[in-house]
Amino acid sequence: MSIMESMGRKKPRRTRRSFTPEFKAEIVGLCRRGDRSVGQVAKDFELTETAVRDWVKQASAIAGSARHLALSSSTCRRIDTLLSSLCL
């Protein structure tokens, strides 16, 4: 088979995966710890970097909404955790 023939063949598409809110919250937590980059976390769990960045962005938006309520930081963290598990 020539190079041109092999270039014309498409890879089979991967089946779309779904992830639980708890798994997404865990991945977001790993990214926020700061000891690994988002790209490294994505690679470690065989995820796309774009998906992980979206999850982090969504969790940050939810956490920002909770902070506007003038609650204690521990309450905001708890709300962030709960909302992340519901909305992601």
Side-chain angles (χ1 to χ4, degrees):
M1 176 183 318
S2 73
I3 293 175
M4 293 303 287
E5 288 174 335
S6 65
M7 289 178 62
R9 293 183 184 206
K10 293 184 179 181
K11 287 185 182 180
R13 292 195 85 154
R14 174 186 250 179
T15 304
R16 186 175 180 95
R17 300 178 289 171
S18 62
F19 301 98
T20 65
E22 294 82 11
F23 177 78
K24 292 177 183 181
E26 181 181 339
I27 296 299
V28 169
L30 290 172
C31 293
R32 288 183 173 167
R33 275 193 357 211
D35 58 338
R36 291 187 275 182
S37 68
V38 171
Q40 187 60 52
V41 172
K43 183 176 179 182
D44 291 347
F45 287 87
E46 296 182 5
L47 302 166
T48 64
E49 190 171 340
T50 302
V52 174
R53 287 190 188 284
D54 287 346
W55 296 347
V56 170
K57 190 186 312 180
Q58 290 168 358
S60 295
I62 291 167
S65 297
R67 287 190 184 88
H68 289 293
L69 298 174
L71 302 173
S72 70
S73 60
S74 63
T75 302
C76 286
R77 281 193 299 275
R78 181 70 180 139
I79 291 170
D80 181 28
T81 301
L82 292 170
L83 289 175
S84 293
S85 68
L86 292 172
C87 297
L88 298 178

